[in-house]
Amino acid sequence: MSLMSKDLFKSFVKSNNSHDLFDKIGETALDAVIDDSVLKDIPIIGTAISLYKAGDSIRANLFARKILAFLREIDDLSQDKRKLFIEENFTNQNDKEKISEIILSFIDNADRSQSCTYLGRAFKLYVLGCIDRRTYDLYCFALRRLSNYLIEQIHSYYRFEKSCGVERHAIHELASLGIIDILVTLQVFDEAQGLCQMPAHNNFGRLFYTNILVQDFS
């Protein structure tokens, strides 16, 4: 198991002040915010410190904010709950390595911290048993591909029970993620016929919106 994967799991178990640190980073130099006590509780932040010391302060701050955006979503989970989750779901090092690689890859490639907030919400639901591993993986897959534009389209579509409008450019992209369905009907216009594609709500899309996105629009 790689050092970063071990640090991620240690950070998952012990972190409890990610909210405060997230707010401070960006206002204060990274090395002024991160001390030995932080590195003890959130060792994955050590990666950001290494980048900072190497002179890559912009990437270091972004990486730190993305890690903290993920971790702050689980701040209110007890350490006992976190340890129990690991014991029940990751019985060997390979299991830990796989899921930590997914999380670290997502965080490293995310272009903004908000995406990592969404990932943290999904992971918290997984820890609490509200969703299973397959649904968590589907959420991760969708989150990797969602732009601000598509998120706005999901909000416009699911915020009301009877919403029916999705812009043409977004229909097939959202359908490929399983967030909406596409209904195809045969339309007759005078003597001509044509196929009409319309978006349709589905349970996965509604739950994804409710579980992951809706908090940011309330």
Side-chain angles (χ1 to χ4, degrees), residues 7 43 52 65 103 183:
D7 284 348
Y52 185 84
R65 284 181 64 84
I103 293 171
L183 298 181

Side-chain angles (χ1 to χ4, degrees), residues 41-54:
D41 290 341
I42 316 177
I44 191 66
I45 291 292
T47 301
I49 291 294
S50 298
L51 290 169
Y52 185 84
K53 290 181 177 179

Side-chain angles (χ1 to χ4, degrees), residues 43-98:
I44 191 66
I45 291 292
T47 301
I49 291 294
S50 298
L51 290 169
Y52 185 84
K53 290 181 177 179
D56 196 350
S57 60
I58 295 176
R59 188 179 173 204
N61 275 276
L62 179 59
F63 181 79
R65 284 181 64 84
K66 290 190 295 185
I67 284 288
L68 293 171
F70 170 77
L71 290 174
R72 67 178 179 170
E73 293 301 314
I74 61 170
D75 265 359
D76 59 347
L77 294 177
S78 69
Q79 289 194 4
D80 288 342
K81 180 65 178 177
R82 302 181 202 190
K83 290 177 182 177
L84 180 62
F85 169 75
I86 292 175
E87 291 170 1
E88 290 181 342
N89 291 275
F90 306 102
T91 56
N92 59 64
Q93 296 298 322
N94 285 336
D95 291 337
K96 289 183 179 180
E97 186 78 30
K98 287 177 182 177

Side-chain angles (χ1 to χ4, degrees), residues 135 138-139 142 158 177-179 202-209:
T135 304
L138 288 172
Y139 279 12
Y158 277 109
L177 300 176
I179 292 174
N202 63 40
N203 191 54
F204 175 80
R206 181 164 292 284
L207 287 175
F208 178 82
Y209 173 67

Side-chain angles (χ1 to χ4, degrees), residues 9 24 32 78 105 138 151 173 192 196:
F9 268 86
K24 290 177 182 176
S78 69
S105 173
L138 288 172
I151 289 171
E173 185 69 22
C196 179

Side-chain angles (χ1 to χ4, degrees), residues 158-177:
Y158 277 109
R159 60 178 170 169
F160 301 120
E161 186 68 29
K162 300 296 184 180
S163 296
C164 60
V166 173
E167 291 182 8
R168 179 173 55 86
H169 304 291
I171 288 178
H172 288 280
E173 185 69 22
L174 293 179
S176 72
L177 300 176

